[in-house]
Amino acid sequence: IIMSGKTVDRSILQGESIELFRAAIKSPATRDPYERRLIQFLKIIKLAPDDFVTAAKKNSSSIEKQIISFISKQNSRAEKGEITTATVGNCLKAVRLLLEMNDVSLNWKKIRRVLPRARRYALDRIPTVEEIREIVEAADIRERALTLVFVSSGIREGAIEHSRVGDYSTIEVGEQKPAAGRLIVYSGDPEQYTAFISPEACQALDKYLDFRREHGEQITKASPLFRDKFDPVKGLYGHGKTNSEQAIIPMTAPAVRQYYNRLLFSIGIRKQRKRRHDFSVHGFRKLFKTKAEIGGMKPINVETLMGHSTGISDSYYRPTEKELLDDYLNVVDHLTIRKESTFKAEVEHVKERGSMNEDAIATLSDQVMKLMVEVQQLKKPAISDS
């Protein structure tokens, strides 16, 4: 399995105890980090999962000491800045799940006392609009659509692998076609919810899907919304497989992260390699929340469109899709990355062709001026992107 460009050896994860451990985690996106954290712990204590569980049942006090020793070593790494304090607690979650699923009880209250106090929020920032524009301009046809979908919907990177073409549709309101796009996120799962994307994201996504059709892919509702890379010259199918639907691999969360890691270095947004960067792919999700709330969307609707739990409101607050869409459309301009220079180019292009009368040109010019004013307002310190 490839994670963030590195191969993760999972051969140690075998046995009856691991079957119970995996059964407790429904989401593949959650199972992956839990497995990686458990592997890290098992390698340090040099025990296979079943042996570790058996030892814990026979001598819980000895295992508690081993876990506390592990945490202490991780605390030292956190103090040096090699890992975050939250990472230490996350490792413990995987170990505790393995033991609890195999009916092993430890004194977790005592063990938790050794954990460092973790921040409730990360220190990363959201990308600026200018940085997003740099990313979009440098991206290829797939990642351009991907970036605009992330920014305008706020979906998690892990949702990409599970998204299918049938989960996407456009929404028309009046004469505006499309006014927005609809995404069914985690379709068929208990966590399923509806998100929206901007018209410019719809345009980029449609262009990407058309590109795949033009190169021979038979796209159906079950096709991945974003798929693996392919060479247009050599063909759609790779990996040593025949031309079949099974040969098309959905784009995974690690592939998403790996792509942006490379791109951000190549365009100079990232200058040096380090474990924690100013912003990651998750920053797109934070950008969506920030821009939507600045634009005036109801905070509870923002949380709903991001697939967040709203506590007791989950049972009582049930807005219709139309109510969510109306609120989204009110802020869609804040989630649009298109530059005012694009409008200027359109005006000049039409002037050269002589296909637009002066009144229409004046109208489009007015739109350019309005957009420039909005951009300047967004740059004010009170609502700074950074």
Side-chain angles (χ1 to χ4, degrees), residues 106-122:
L106 299 183
N107 189 342
W108 294 108
K109 184 176 181 179
K110 178 177 72 174
I111 293 172
R112 283 198 301 271
R113 288 183 181 276
V114 189
L115 286 173
R117 180 174 293 181
R119 286 189 303 269
R120 297 182 63 185
Y121 57 90

Side-chain angles (χ1 to χ4, degrees), residues 125-136 269 279:
R125 63 174 177 85
I126 64 171
T128 66
V129 173
E130 287 74 17
E131 286 171 332
I132 297 296
R133 287 172 181 161
E134 287 185 57
I135 291 170
V136 169
I269 291 178
F279 75 85

